[in-house]
Structures are given as structure tokens and as C-alpha cells.
Amino acid sequence: MGALKEGKKSIILTIDQKGYEVDFTLMKQMNQRTEKRRSIRLFFGLPNHWGMTDEDALKLLKGEVQDAQEASDASVSMGTVLTTISEGTRMAMRAPFKKFVRKVQDLNWLSELESLLNSSALRHDQSRCHCPHGDSKYRLLEAYQVRNLYLWRRYQRFVRNLGDKQNQHGIVPEEIQPPVCEALTNFAEGLQVDLPCNERLLFHGTMKFGYAKAIAVEGFDNRIARQGLYGKGTYFASQTCKSAQYATKRGRAEKASHRMPGTMLVARVALGDPYYTEGKYNESRPPTKNSHPVDDSDDERTVLCDSLIARPGIQAGQHPQAHMEFVTFAPEQAYPEFILRFVEED
């Protein structure tokens, strides 16, 4: 793979003391002793909703992306054709961001994403929040699907390692309670999210579209995050109104508008075995919990949890926690699925 990305036409490999020549032009592998040839292919394990073949992925990997002008066709926003290309579109289609996203043009997808924003506004008890965004009607302006092979493979490796850790320590992940809202759960099922293993779709607000661009290219990075109530991590929410508070520069007090559109990501997050905090938390890694050993001869050992969850009602700041928040402490623990640009109406 390294040789392919470097642009080499062929490479010699030794596997089990046998020499092979791999020809990237012919896409053939030849046994150097027997001269037997066979076709080679790449398998990326891509999500079905990407609508991308392994051949398409190979083109992306080699940098063969479509022209920027072709990628920035007239933007469609819930039945309204925009006569001019928005600044967000212009920014999104500049390299290298254009290599990792596809602008959502399908009206059914746009409708589902807008519905997701509006259907995820209620709290777990079906009540509305009293924040400035609790009574908003969200209108989607534009959406981008992130198709970043590097970030996806990095996330998949994290998920596999998480499973290995749980098997090694005999950990059965604690159930997510209260459950994530029905709208997010249903949408997650359509994306083949592994709900039994505590993988979830969650929201993440960011005040600048440029920040969302960076996340699409480089991923989430808690190392540059500010200290929050629940540690120095990456924060996610299951309620639209919570993430909307961080979706613009003035999100704590104002709704997103055409003058100041909001930016929110829908992310796939591997929560693993969560820690339910009862108050403020100040660390840059997850808390620990006791793990009972698989072998009775071993001593009980302390194992790091995989994430932190703050449930509504706990007291951490000046006021009781109103929303459910999720905190991760590893950059590779979440994958950005969609970037949404939106406004709010009363």
C-alpha cells in the first residue's frame, strides 16, 4: 500500500520465503519462482452508505478526485435551489477538503438529515429544554458526507482494539442509560452502527465551518480541547439543542441564522464501557472501574473506562445537568459521518 501511494509501478514482496512481484499497472501478482500470475484487488471494508466501490476508494487514495467545479454544482436546500454558491460550499470544495467529502444532493438524504435535527430536540423524558434552542425548528442549508479512508480505517482499528481489551479483561460494557433518542437510534441502524457494542451516532457542534473542515480531514482531537466540566476530551450530545449551543460564535444566547449559520457534525462514536459521572471531572483520560478477572487466580485489577457520560440531573456546575453529554478521550474514538449547515426558526 505504501508503494502504491508513492506512485511506484511495482514492488517485490517476500511472504513465507516466497518472492512475489506485484504490478500496479496490470494489477497482477506474479510468483517469481513459478511465474504464476493472478489478479490482485484491494478491500477497504467501506460503509454501505458511502456508495463507494473499492475501485473508487483506490482512486481517492491515489488522489484522483473530481474537479472542484464539478463538485460544487448548484446547491440544493430542501426544495430551494440556491442561485449562488455559498461561502461554505466554496470553502468545502477547496483541496484537500474536497478529497474527503461529498456534497449531499439527494433530496431524500437531505430530508432525513433535517428530520434528524428536528426529531432529536427532546430530552430523554420527552420534555423540551429551556435553552435558546429548545423550541427551534431546524432548517438544513447544506450537508456534506465525510468519506475519509484514513480516518475510517483508524476508527475501525480503535473499535477492534476496544473489543480485544474487553475480551482480555472480561468486560461486558455497561448499557447506555437513559437510551439515546429514537430518531438517532433509527438513523444509526440505517448506517449499520453497532448498537449492542455501544457504538452510537451523536451530535457535535462547532462554531466555525473551518473547524468542521479540519475535523473531516484530520479527525476529532481532544488534545487541543479546552478543559470542560467533565475533563479535557471531545464532547458529544444526543440532543440537537445542546450541540446547537456550540454551533455558532454566539450559540449560548442566539439561534443560528442566515447571517450566522450553525455547523454541526453527526459522528459515529465508540463509547465502549462508559463511566457515569456524578459530578465534575478534571482529567484528560477516562476514569477507572474495577474489573473482575476471567481467571479466578488473578487479582482484581483496575481498568480504564472507555468514555464518560454525564446524565441529566447531576450537579457539576452552578445548575443541574440538563442534557445528556458524552466525552471521549482518544482522537480515533469517533468518526465524523456528516457535516450539517443549518439555521433555526421559531
Side-chain angles (χ1 to χ4, degrees):
M1 184 65 74
L4 177 65
K5 292 172 70 174
E6 291 172 7
K8 295 182 179 179
K9 294 183 178 181
S10 64
I11 186 174
I12 304 297
L13 300 176
T14 301
I15 304 172
D16 296 333
Q17 299 181 339
K18 297 177 182 178
Y20 297 91
E21 180 181 357
V22 178
D23 189 316
F24 296 124
T25 302
L26 301 176
M27 292 299 284
K28 297 283 186 180
Q29 172 185 285
M30 183 186 74
N31 185 307
Q32 290 186 308
R33 183 179 65 83
T34 65
E35 296 189 351
K36 181 178 180 180
R37 289 176 171 83
R38 63 177 180 177
S39 299
I40 60 172
R41 64 187 180 92
L42 295 171
F43 177 70
F44 292 95
L46 303 174
N48 292 335
H49 65 280
W50 281 21
M52 181 188 293
T53 65
D54 289 325
E55 288 74 18
D56 293 332
L58 180 58
K59 290 179 181 179
L60 273 181
L61 191 68
K62 294 167 69 174
E64 299 172 6
V65 295
Q66 67 182 138
D67 180 77
Q69 184 61 44
E70 293 177 1
S72 57
D73 289 334
S75 177
V76 179
S77 174
M78 298 311 301
T80 303
V81 177
L82 304 181
T83 55
T84 58
I85 298 175
S86 70
E87 177 62 19
T89 302
R90 285 196 294 271
M91 291 175 65
M93 292 310 152
R94 292 175 189 157
F97 182 60
K98 67 177 183 178
K99 293 168 57 178
F100 304 115
V101 301
R102 182 180 67 174
K103 194 170 191 324
V104 180
Q105 303 282 10
D106 184 272
L107 292 179
N108 290 328
W109 269 105
L110 290 169
S111 178
E112 282 193 51
L113 289 167
E114 183 174 79
S115 177
L116 181 66
L117 289 175
N118 287 292
S119 302
S120 302
L122 297 179
R123 290 190 284 210
H124 67 284
D125 60 0
Q126 299 304 301
S127 64
R128 284 194 175 274
C129 179
H130 299 296
C131 75
H133 311 279
D135 61 350
S136 293
K137 180 179 179 181
Y138 296 86
R139 181 175 175 83
L140 190 64
L141 297 178
E142 52 194 12
Y144 303 92
Q145 182 187 49
V146 181
R147 303 193 298 180
N148 187 321
L149 292 174
Y150 164 72
L151 292 184
W152 175 252
R153 293 165 71 188
R154 185 181 75 165
Y155 174 75
Q156 290 298 96
R157 284 194 296 271
F158 178 88
V159 171
R160 288 194 296 270
N161 291 338
L162 194 61
D164 291 342
K165 169 191 168 183
Q166 292 169 357
N167 292 334
Q168 177 179 337
H169 295 290
I171 297 172
V172 178
E174 195 170 344
E175 190 177 358
I176 307 298
Q177 287 293 341
V180 171
C181 71
E182 184 178 359
L184 268 174
T185 300
N186 291 341
F187 194 79
E189 289 176 345
L191 302 189
Q192 291 83 48
V193 170
D194 194 347
L195 299 174
C197 290
N198 281 351
E199 190 179 42
R200 294 292 187 274
L201 283 187
L202 298 170
F203 297 111
H204 177 85
T206 179
M207 66 177 66
K208 292 183 179 180
F209 184 66
Y211 294 164
K213 285 176 58 181
I215 291 171
V217 175
E218 301 176 5
F220 295 98
D221 195 344
N222 58 290
R223 295 172 299 180
I224 58 174
R226 296 179 180 177
Q227 177 70 37
L229 275 179
Y230 305 113
K232 191 177 180 183
T234 303
Y235 285 65
F236 300 92
S238 54
Q239 272 186 269
T240 320
C241 61
K242 178 61 179 177
S243 294
Q245 295 177 19
Y246 304 92
T248 68
K249 293 181 180 179
R250 301 174 185 172
R252 294 293 187 94
E254 297 180 13
K255 297 178 184 292
S257 63
H258 286 280
R259 178 179 58 84
M260 189 182 298
T263 303
M264 196 179 300
L265 292 103
V266 179
R268 183 186 294 246
V269 185
L271 296 171
D273 188 31
Y275 177 87
Y276 290 97
T277 185
E278 294 297 330
K280 192 172 181 180
Y281 182 73
N282 297 316
E283 304 300 323
S284 58
R285 69 175 192 174
T288 59
K289 68 167 61 171
N290 290 332
S291 171
H292 296 288
V294 177
D295 188 338
D296 292 338
S297 65
D298 293 337
D299 294 328
E300 185 175 65
R301 51 186 172 264
T302 300
V303 180
L304 286 175
C305 294
D306 303 309
S307 60
L308 180 146
I309 296 178
R311 291 189 274 208
I314 68 169
Q315 190 78 38
Q318 295 180 344
H319 306 285
Q321 178 77 17
H323 310 83
M324 196 167 178
E325 291 189 72
F326 307 78
V327 188
T328 62
F329 298 89
E332 60 272 18
Q333 196 167 353
Y335 177 82
E337 290 278 2
F338 294 95
I339 300 173
L340 309 180
R341 300 274 284 167
F342 66 93
V343 296
E344 299 173 68
E345 300 173 351
D346 294 325

